[in-house]
Amino acid sequence: MEKTKELQQVEEKFQTFQILDEQGKIVNEDAMPELSDEQLKEMMTRMVYTRIWDQRAISLNRQGRLGFYAPVAGQEASMIGSQFALDKKDWILPGYRDIPQIYYHGLPLHQAFLWSRGHFQGGQIPEGVRVMMPQIIIGAQITQTAGTAMGLKKDGEQQVAVTYTGDGGASQGDFYEGMNFAGAYNLPAVFIVQNNRFAISVPVEKQSAAATIAQKAVAAGIHGEQVDGMDILAVYAATKEARDRGIEGNGPSLLEFMTYRYGPHTMAGDDPTRYRTSEEDDEWEKKDPLVRFRKFLEEKNLWTEEEEEKIVEQAKEDIKASIKDADAAPKQKVTDLIDITYADAMPETLQEQRSEFEEKESK
Amino acid sequence: MAQMTMIQAITDGMRSELKNDEKVLVYGEDVGLNGGVFRATDGLQKEFGEERVFDTPLAESAIGGLAHGLSLTGYRSVMELQFFGFVFEAFDSIAGQMARLHHRSGGVYNAPVTIRSPFGGGVKTPEMHADSLEGLMAQTPGLKVVIPSTPYDAKGLLISAIRENDPVVFLEHMKLYRSFREEVPEEDYSIPLGKADIKREGSDITLIAYGAMVHTCLKAAEQLEKEDISAEVIDLRTVSPLDVETIITSVEKTNRAVMVQEAQKQAGIASNVVAEINDRAILSLEAPVGRVTAADTVFPFAAAEDTWLPNEKDVAAKAKEIINF
C-alpha cells in the first residue's frame, strides 16, 4: 500500500517519546520528570517486585495453586510507571493483565490471587480503593472509563479515570466509542494502550494498517502520544502530563506504550514459539525496563545488588504469605453466589432456590 | 389527579425522580433539547439543566458504558435506548456488565441504572424498531425487566425502577404511548417491581399477558363475556422476576390458563410462565396451559403487521379451545 502524503504527515506526528535509552542514559533531559531519589528507588523496587511476582505466579499456576494468569514480565515500566503518576483517588479500570496497577493502587495481593483462582472475594475491592476488578471483555473498560470520568467531573473532583487495554483491544468498537465519548464531553480520562505487538498470536500489523495506535486519538479529536513503554521515566512523564491535562479541563488523552511480554499470552496453554521468533524475543530482551533503569540508578549510586536481593526475598515472602491468606478463604457456596446477585431484595423465585441450596449445603 | 397518556406519565415519573434525587441523570440520543423522539423527556432539560438531562453521541454500547462508569461514582442513571431493536449494540454493556456488576464485585459495586426503551408493533415502524426482545433480558441474572401497560402503572413502576439499586430494563410499548388517557396522581408514588396486577376479575379462565397484549386480552375477555365465559386478566407488569404467587392463585381459582405475548413463540417469556404453572399448580389444571404468541419468524415487514401480530380473536379462540379441552 503506497502511503499518501496526508497519511505520511499524520504518522510523522506520532514519534516515540523516550527519556531513557537502552543503556540507561538520559536522551531527553528536558522531559525528565521531577522525581526524588526515594521515588526513583521506589519505582525500581516495584518493578523488581513485580518481576518476581510474575515468575512466582507462573510457577504457582503450573502447580495448580493459581488459576487464570496473564503474564506481565516485560511490561513493568508500562504498568508501574503509569500507576506511579496517579493519585490514590484517581480511578483505575484495568484489563485482565493489569493486576500490578490495581495492586499498587490498594488491592491486597491475596485478593489478586483469589481473583486468579475464581473466588468472589477476589473482586471485593476494599472501601476507598478506587479500582475495578480486571475486565475480561476487551474494550468494555474503555466506555466505562468515560462514565467514571464524567462522574468525577460532575463531582468537581480533581481526579482522573485511567484505563488500560492492549494493541488488539484498539480494534474494538468500544475502544473508539469510549475515547469519542470522553472527547465529546471533555472528560478527565486517560486511555492507555499497552502495545506488546501481539494479541495472543496475531501481530499488531494484522490489527490495523495504521502505523501507530496513538494516531487513533485523531478519530476522537483528542491528544494522542506514542511512548517507549520499556522506559519507566517516559511512561511516568507521559501519564503525569495526561493526568494534568485531564484535571485542568483539557480533555482525555490516548497513550500508546510500546512494550513486550516476555511470557505467553496467558497460562492457559498459549505457546509463543508458534508465532514469535527467538530473534524478536532477543531484541526485546535488550530493551528490558529493569536492566536500563538499574543502570540509570547505579550510575547515580542509588541502587545496589544487596538492595535488589532484599526486594526479591521480600517479594517471595509476601507471595507465600498471600497464597496462605488466599488458601484460608472459605469455599464458595451456591448460597453465597445467590446472595451477591442483587443489591436489593432477591426475587422470590431466587429465594426459593436459596432455600433449596441451603438445605443441600446443610447435609 | 390528571388525565395522562402513558408517555406523559413516563415524563412525570422521570421529573419526579430528577426532583427527588440530585444523583439522577437522564440521557440518551436526542433526549435533551429535543425532548426525545417520542417526547418522553419533553421539557426535562429546560427544567433541570444540561448537567442532569443531556444528549449523547450516537453509540448505544457507550451509553451503557457511561451508565456503568457513572455508577462507580454514585450516580443513578436513566439511560434511553431509542428503540429496543438497537439493544444488540448495547448487549455487553447491559447483560455482560451492569447485570453482573454487583455479583462480580462480591456485593461491593452496583449499577442503579434504568434502561428505558420503546418497542412493540402495530404502528408500522421500519426494521428493528418494534421487536419484542424482553426474553433476552429476562434470561439474564442480575436484571429486572418491567413492561407497563397503563399510564398509572408506567409512572409508579418507573419511579420504582429508578430507585432500584439493580439495573432495570424498562420497556415502553409504542402503541400504548398515546392510545388512551387515564387518571394519574400528580404526586410521586411507586408500584413494587415483581408484582402483577389483576386487570379484570374472572372465574373460568386466566389470561396472562403484558404490554399491549394486556389490552388485547381485555378485549378478548369482553367477547368471551358475551358467550358467558368469565376471564380473569393478569397483567404481569414485571416479566422478570415473575410474580408467581398472583399467577398461581388465579390459576388455582379458574383451573385454566392462557399465556399471551406479542413476541414469537420461541421468544418472550411465555414458556417460563407455563413452566411455573406446570411446576406449581398442575393438580389444579383442567387443561394444558395455552399459549398465544406470534409466529417464529423475524418481526414482519410493516405492511404485514396486522396479519402477524396476535389479536383478540386469537386470544378468544385459544381460550375457548382450552375451555373445551
Side-chain angles (χ1 to χ4, degrees):
Chain A
M1 189 169 78
E2 199 178 320
K3 288 185 177 173
T4 63
K5 203 175 76 202
E6 286 74 15
L7 187 51
Q8 287 173 39
Q9 281 172 352
V10 170
E11 289 176 5
E12 278 163 20
K13 293 202 162 57
F14 294 90
Q15 302 294 322
T16 313
F17 170 60
Q18 190 188 53
I19 294 178
L20 202 59
D21 73 6
E22 287 171 34
Q23 277 69 50
K25 297 271 180 281
I26 300 291
V27 293
N28 190 345
E29 191 69 51
D30 295 345
M32 187 65 192
E34 274 180 46
L35 287 161
S36 68
D37 289 351
E38 282 314 303
Q39 286 177 307
L40 291 169
K41 289 179 72 166
E42 178 61 21
M43 284 171 128
M44 184 63 190
T45 300
R46 292 182 180 190
M47 284 209 288
V48 171
Y49 195 98
T50 305
R51 179 66 59 92
I52 297 304
W53 168 7
D54 185 72
Q55 288 167 1
R56 291 297 302 138
I58 288 170
S59 157
L60 287 161
N61 167 281
R62 289 197 175 121
Q63 296 163 30
R65 299 189 68 196
L66 278 182
F68 177 77
Y69 184 69
V72 300
Q75 298 189 198
E76 292 89 348
S78 156
M79 292 172 163
I80 308 296
S82 53
Q83 192 279 333
F84 205 77
L86 305 182
D87 181 88
K88 270 280 146 80
K89 290 182 82 184
D90 291 334
W91 269 93
I92 298 182
L93 288 88
Y96 53 75
R97 200 180 301 279
D98 305 308
I99 317 287
Q101 296 97 305
I102 58 173
Y103 165 68
Y104 285 111
H105 221 58
L107 180 75
L109 193 54
H110 78 278
Q111 283 191 271
F113 291 155
L114 282 171
W115 185 82
S116 161
R117 287 178 177 180
H119 193 299
F120 73 88
Q121 289 184 350
Q124 288 177 323
I125 309 297
E127 176 141 22
V129 176
R130 287 181 155 185
V131 304
M132 274 284 281
M133 32 299 169
Q135 179 57 254
I136 295 291
I137 301 302
I138 296 171
Q141 71 272 36
I142 317 271
T143 56
Q144 291 165 8
T145 296
T148 304
M150 181 182 268
L152 291 170
K153 186 179 175 183
K154 282 190 182 299
D155 289 340
E157 289 197 43
Q158 296 292 298
Q159 308 294 340
V160 294
V162 183
T163 189
Y164 296 83
T165 189
D167 39 294
S171 300
Q172 289 278 10
D174 274 354
F175 173 76
Y176 294 93
E177 290 187 22
M179 285 199 305
N180 186 60
F181 267 51
Y185 293 119
N186 190 25
L187 301 176
V190 182
F191 302 101
I192 292 173
V193 173
Q194 299 186 84
N195 180 353
N196 64 22
R197 305 217 1 89
F198 286 90
I200 307 189
S201 65
V202 179
V204 67
E205 292 79 12
K206 289 199 172 161
Q207 295 291 342
S208 172
T212 68
I213 291 172
Q215 77 198 59
K216 297 186 181 212
V218 175
I222 67 173
H223 175 82
E225 193 174 344
Q226 190 184 69
V227 179
D228 180 348
M230 308 300 260
D231 168 5
I232 193 162
L233 295 176
V235 166
Y236 173 86
T239 311
K240 190 169 185 306
E241 201 182 286
R243 184 178 186 279
D244 290 345
R245 192 176 295 118
I247 61 179
E248 282 159 16
N250 293 318
S253 304
L254 169 63
L255 304 178
E256 178 189 16
F257 297 156
M258 305 302 285
T259 182
Y260 201 69
R261 61 169 154 83
Y262 296 143
H265 166 69
T266 67
M267 296 305 295
D270 175 43
D271 172 13
T273 62
R274 291 170 74 108
Y275 53 84
R276 281 196 321 220
T277 62
S278 57
E279 289 79 35
E280 194 175 11
D281 284 345
D282 292 347
E283 187 202 321
W284 280 91
E285 265 175 46
K286 286 184 204 137
K287 298 179 198 273
D288 190 326
L290 273 68
V291 172
R292 73 170 81 169
F293 201 53
R294 188 184 289 123
K295 281 182 186 162
F296 167 76
L297 291 180
E298 281 170 353
E299 193 77 13
K300 290 170 74 93
N301 286 320
L302 289 175
W303 200 252
T304 62
E305 228 180 289
E306 295 78 59
E307 270 176 287
E308 185 154 335
E309 263 317 301
K310 255 168 67 186
I311 293 152
V312 170
E313 287 316 308
Q314 185 66 52
K316 287 180 180 168
E317 267 177 47
D318 289 354
I319 289 158
K320 220 169 147 182
S322 298
I323 279 287
K324 264 180 105 173
D325 288 346
D327 290 345
K331 220 172 147 227
Q332 298 169 99
K333 301 188 301 257
V334 177
T335 48
D336 297 329
L337 304 179
I338 289 174
D339 289 342
I340 56 177
T341 299
Y342 291 92
D344 289 333
M346 70 177 78
E348 278 166 35
T349 43
L350 190 54
Q351 280 176 35
E352 277 180 11
Q353 293 166 37
R354 196 189 187 287
S355 305
E356 286 165 25
F357 281 101
E358 201 173 15
E359 163 106 24
K360 204 171 142 190
E361 286 161 6
S362 70
K363 279 174 192 162
Chain B
M1 290 287 230
Q3 286 281 324
M4 288 189 202
T5 59
M6 190 164 97
I7 196 98
Q8 288 168 331
I10 286 166
T11 312
D12 214 43
M14 277 187 278
R15 181 182 293 114
S16 150
E17 287 314 282
L18 279 161
K19 234 182 254 173
N20 287 339
D21 184 350
E22 60 176 20
K23 288 290 186 182
V24 169
L25 303 173
V26 171
Y27 52 87
E29 296 156 9
D30 307 289
V31 307
L33 187 64
N34 190 47
V37 293
F38 291 103
R39 302 287 169 264
T41 52
D42 201 20
L44 296 182
Q45 189 181 68
K46 202 174 167 202
E47 190 175 342
F48 297 97
E50 280 184 57
E51 282 293 310
R52 307 281 309 281
V53 180
F54 53 91
D55 291 319
T56 64
L58 202 166
E60 287 77 15
S61 182
I63 294 172
L66 202 67
H68 185 292
L70 280 161
S71 298
L72 299 182
T73 48
Y75 284 89
R76 196 170 280 278
S77 293
V78 184
M79 58 171 265
E80 180 180 302
L81 295 177
Q82 202 158 65
F83 294 95
F84 205 57
F86 309 165
V87 70
F88 294 107
E89 297 291 333
F91 215 98
D92 179 59
S93 294
I94 298 169
Q97 304 293 329
M98 290 191 279
R100 304 167 65 100
L101 180 58
H102 191 261
H103 193 263
R104 62 190 286 265
S105 65
V108 172
Y109 300 134
N110 63 300
V113 176
T114 302
I115 299 131
R116 280 190 48 247
S117 193
F119 81 109
V123 289
K124 307 254 189 316
T125 51
E127 254 188 306
M128 294 296 290
H129 283 56
D131 296 57
S132 288
L133 301 169
E134 66 279 4
L136 300 172
M137 298 288 127
Q139 285 206 13
T140 305
L143 283 183
K144 291 179 181 167
V145 186
V146 175
I147 305 182
S149 70
T150 69
Y152 179 86
D153 286 353
K155 180 173 169 182
L157 289 166
L158 181 57
I159 288 174
S160 291
I162 297 172
R163 292 178 185 173
E164 187 82 0
N165 292 309
D166 294 302
V168 177
V169 176
F170 191 88
L171 297 173
E172 303 164 4
H173 201 290
M174 281 183 274
K175 205 182 169 189
L176 300 180
Y177 267 154
R178 294 186 174 83
S179 59
F180 68 101
R181 285 173 190 274
E182 187 180 58
E183 288 287 319
V184 175
E186 276 163 85
E187 66 273 15
D188 64 31
Y189 62 94
S190 60
I191 295 172
L193 305 187
K195 293 286 170 224
D197 183 41
I198 296 172
K199 289 280 192 276
R200 179 192 167 111
E201 304 249 359
S203 53
D204 297 330
I205 190 163
T206 302
L207 305 177
I208 305 157
Y210 57 96
M213 290 299 124
V214 171
H215 302 281
T216 303
C217 286
L218 288 169
K219 280 183 204 157
E222 276 170 37
Q223 283 185 23
L224 292 166
E225 182 80 58
K226 287 172 194 155
E227 298 175 50
D228 278 337
I229 298 169
S230 162
E232 179 147 300
V233 177
I234 294 180
D235 180 356
L236 291 175
R237 300 198 295 198
T238 298
V239 300
S240 179
L242 287 173
D243 179 357
V244 174
E245 198 187 328
T246 300
I247 298 167
I248 299 304
T249 305
S250 175
V251 171
E252 281 171 349
K253 176 175 76 174
T254 63
N255 312 115
R256 293 177 177 84
V258 174
M259 174 66 217
V260 183
Q261 69 180 17
E262 181 174 318
Q264 296 88 336
K265 196 167 206 170
Q266 69 186 57
I269 54 102
S271 48
N272 287 356
V273 173
V274 175
E276 292 292 352
I277 298 171
N278 284 342
D279 279 355
R280 295 165 196 270
I282 196 143
L283 294 177
S284 302
L285 289 176
E286 297 282 350
V289 181
R291 274 188 285 172
V292 176
T293 70
D296 285 332
T297 72
V298 167
F299 191 89
F301 298 101
E305 271 191 351
D306 292 346
T307 49
W308 189 85
L309 288 166
N311 61 34
E312 58 266 30
K313 281 183 200 145
D314 301 327
V315 176
K318 179 58 81 176
K320 281 188 266 181
E321 185 191 318
I322 296 302
I323 281 175
N324 298 321
F325 177 77

